[in-house]
Amino acid sequence: MKTPPRLQSLIEEGLIDSVVRQLMSGKEALVYVVRCGDETRCAKVYKEATQRSFRQAVDYTENRRTKNSRQARAMAKGTKFGRQAQEAAWQNAEVDALYRLAAAGVRVPQPYNFMDGVLLMELVADEHGDAAPRLNGVMFTADEARTHHRSLLVEVVRMLCAGVVHGDLSEFNILLASDGPVIIDLPQAVDAAGNNHAKRMLLRDVANLRDFFGGFAPDLLTTDYGHEIWALYEAGALHPDTPLTGQFKRATGPVDLGEVIREIDDARDEEVARQQRMQ
């Protein structure tokens, strides 16, 4: 296999020793298995973002700031330099989120370095030491589904307590390691307090977990952990060890038609994205 130029740069810098193989190819990045001394790690090589819709990008990047005023002006104008700066900001958002969440004890891959659009991080492995599979490719018993669903809710809560909402959490970006699920793919992560779409994204993340694991344990389909978690967060009563019931009594009142339409749009976009991932 020919070594990609950006990975060759990491070899020349002494950050990695060799490229073992390509692990996966996605819309946003190519992921490779690499060797670093005695350790096996993975390198995420970002592609240019050409397939994200503008509406989604605006939702995810709301309130993200750049300290460089020239970059900010270029990004606002949509110039070539601005698009490059915007893509760099998108990549840096994942790097920042990984370091932040790893420090908070969230089960995410440990990041090691980021250089020239390549993120070097821990290779999440299964019980045989091979690259861990994504949840969408694994079958579960009802008890296993309940166990993994419960553990992932703990991670969602821990993320929210750290001020982060994943924004695109589903069975397609969770790996099943030898010791349980690990959350990956965080370039779209948003600040819970600074993004007006954070609540809707959190509810969608939790609903995706419910729907997936509910396919193995149907009793999960009647739960409403998302609204319960967000209500506790808004009340300042959410902590990593806060007990959850899965029940939530919604307040009655006038229907927010705009919010209903946005939820319908989100559901449609999520289904389109899901179909693309399945392909």
Side-chain angles (χ1 to χ4, degrees):
M1 182 190 70
K2 184 178 180 180
T3 301
R6 280 189 281 173
L7 289 184
Q8 184 61 44
S9 297
L10 267 64
I11 292 175
E12 293 170 359
E13 291 290 333
L15 296 177
I16 63 176
D17 295 321
S18 62
V19 179
V20 179
R21 63 184 177 89
Q22 181 176 314
L23 181 59
M24 63 153 288
S25 175
K27 289 192 304 178
E28 293 187 345
L30 298 171
V31 180
Y32 295 85
V33 177
V34 299
R35 292 289 295 174
C36 304
D38 295 332
E39 295 187 12
T40 301
R41 297 177 178 176
C42 71
K44 184 172 185 176
V45 182
Y46 290 94
K47 298 177 181 178
E48 290 189 5
T50 58
Q51 300 185 43
R52 290 195 297 269
S53 75
F54 178 74
R55 190 188 71 81
Q56 288 174 327
V58 168
D59 286 358
Y60 289 126
T61 58
E62 178 183 270
N63 278 342
R64 288 186 184 174
R65 297 286 184 260
T66 175
K67 296 179 180 178
N68 186 305
S69 59
R70 176 172 173 251
Q71 287 184 347
R73 290 193 300 270
M75 289 165 66
K77 292 179 179 179
T79 64
K80 181 178 179 180
F81 173 72
R83 290 193 298 273
Q84 292 173 342
Q86 190 170 33
E87 179 60 15
W90 182 267
Q91 296 171 11
N92 284 324
E94 176 164 36
V95 179
D96 293 344
L98 278 174
Y99 276 103
R100 183 174 178 180
L101 294 176
V106 179
R107 288 180 58 84
V108 295
Q110 177 64 48
Y112 295 115
N113 214 316
F114 180 63
M115 174 182 168
D116 295 336
V118 180
L119 173 58
L120 186 63
M121 56 186 169
E122 171 192 4
L123 176 68
V124 179
D126 63 13
E127 64 272 19
H128 305 295
D130 299 321
R134 294 173 186 260
L135 287 189
N136 68 297
V138 183
M139 297 295 293
F140 300 103
T141 66
D143 285 343
E144 289 171 338
R146 295 186 192 99
T147 297
H148 292 318
H149 179 258
R150 184 165 55 250
S151 69
L152 282 164
L153 286 178
V154 171
E155 301 307 316
V156 168
V157 168
R158 191 172 283 129
M159 289 175 68
L160 190 55
C161 289
V164 178
V165 173
H166 187 286
D168 190 33
L169 191 62
S170 75
E171 65 271 24
F172 295 95
N173 43 38
I174 301 172
L175 302 178
L176 186 59
S178 58
D179 57 349
V182 176
I183 296 170
I184 62 171
D185 294 342
L186 288 143
Q188 72 295 313
V190 301
D191 181 84
N195 188 300
N196 290 324
H197 307 281
K199 176 182 178 180
R200 189 166 76 250
M201 292 179 184
L202 184 282
L203 295 179
R204 185 176 62 196
D205 285 352
V206 176
N208 286 342
L209 295 177
R210 176 199 63 205
D211 294 345
F212 174 71
F213 288 112
F216 304 100
D219 52 291
L220 295 177
L221 297 175
T222 62
T223 61
D224 190 3
Y225 285 101
H227 284 93
E228 180 185 13
I229 290 170
W230 190 263
L232 289 167
Y233 171 72
E234 284 192 316
L238 186 68
H239 306 284
D241 57 352
T242 298
L244 301 174
T245 66
Q247 305 301 314
F248 182 77
K249 186 175 181 180
R250 305 192 188 201
T252 58
V255 175
D256 184 341
L257 183 58
E259 180 65 19
V260 172
I261 293 174
R262 286 190 292 272
E263 289 188 6
I264 293 173
D265 288 342
D266 278 346
R268 182 172 57 244
D269 290 343
E270 174 61 25
E271 181 58 26
V272 170
R274 185 184 297 270
Q275 292 298 325
Q276 290 175 340
R277 289 190 292 260
M278 291 178 66
Q279 295 173 2

